Amino acid sequence: MLKNLVVGLSGNLTRPSKTKAFISHIVAEVASSTGAASTVFDIEDLGRSFPLARRIGDLDPSARNIVERLLGADVLVVGSPTFKGSYTGLFKHFFDLLDPSSLRGKPVILAATGGGDRHSLVVEHQLRPLFGFFEALTLPTAIYASDKDFANGVLVSDAIHARASQAVAEACRAVPRSVGLAA
């Protein structure tokens, strides 16, 4: 059984986020297939100390707790930031605070959502920077869902459900045996 699953994602508090719905779906699937505890965090959960922090020690206790939970996770599911506004900068800043070696070998699922006709644009602008961060540490799996894969904020596409299940299976196979995941 996995001991912990933490999801870091950039959310938008002004409207429901399809990315958060997508991430929540993936997290629920990992948790149900492994018995893991799961937690979903938005970048905003890091609070006021986060934008000015130069290192993890500069964060307030609540934000440090979130970062410690992320670093202690067995599987990471990371939602891409929107490439509009300041979320991309905040998301990059979050990963700049982390010691990359603390994430080495962790299975990572990267997720993005966006317009159906802009698939390559969304992947290029949202997932490519995340791949750049994680590629040296692990072999991330990426999943993309377009706007048409959702109805009223709920993932409805059978093809994307299948792709999410495949990504979850890949991530679970990559979990080190030391955490006791059954074969």
Side-chain angles (χ1 to χ4, degrees):
M1 178 196 305
L2 297 178
K3 65 179 190 283
N4 193 18
L5 167 70
V6 176
V7 179
L9 66 124
S10 178
N12 184 336
L13 298 179
T14 62
R15 61 181 167 75
S17 166
K18 287 186 186 93
T19 301
K20 186 167 186 173
F22 192 32
I23 292 295
S24 296
H25 171 80
I26 295 167
V27 169
E29 190 157 338
V30 173
S32 70
S33 67
T34 62
S38 63
T39 307
V40 177
F41 294 113
D42 285 326
I43 200 78
E44 292 89 352
D45 293 334
L46 292 168
R48 291 183 170 177
S49 66
F50 167 66
L52 300 176
R54 299 232 181 245
R55 60 187 188 279
I56 292 173
D58 296 338
L59 297 171
D60 63 41
S62 175
R64 259 195 320 272
N65 181 47
I66 291 171
V67 172
E68 288 168 6
R69 291 188 70 189
L70 182 132
L71 294 175
D74 293 311
V75 177
L76 299 176
V77 182
V78 181
S80 66
T82 176
F83 54 91
K84 301 173 190 163
S86 62
Y87 285 107
T88 301
L90 287 174
F91 213 67
K92 182 184 179 313
H93 179 62
F94 177 73
F95 287 107
D96 287 344
L97 291 178
L98 300 180
D99 172 9
S101 67
S102 62
L103 298 171
R104 190 170 314 283
K106 290 184 188 287
V108 176
I109 299 172
L110 305 176
T113 60
D117 296 334
R118 301 179 329 188
H119 178 283
S120 62
L121 181 67
V122 170
V123 170
E124 181 64 28
H125 285 279
Q126 293 184 356
L127 292 183
R128 190 63 54 208
L130 294 177
F131 260 103
F133 180 82
F134 285 109
E135 272 181 326
L137 307 169
T138 186
L139 296 172
T141 299
I143 309 173
Y144 168 81
S146 71
D147 290 344
K148 68 181 188 286
D149 295 321
F150 293 87
N152 298 320
V154 177
L155 183 64
V156 295
S157 167
D158 289 339
I160 299 301
H161 277 283
R163 178 64 185 115
S165 294
Q166 179 184 4
V168 166
E170 290 171 18
C172 290
R173 278 193 300 274
V175 174
R177 291 286 172 204
S178 63
V179 298
L181 182 64

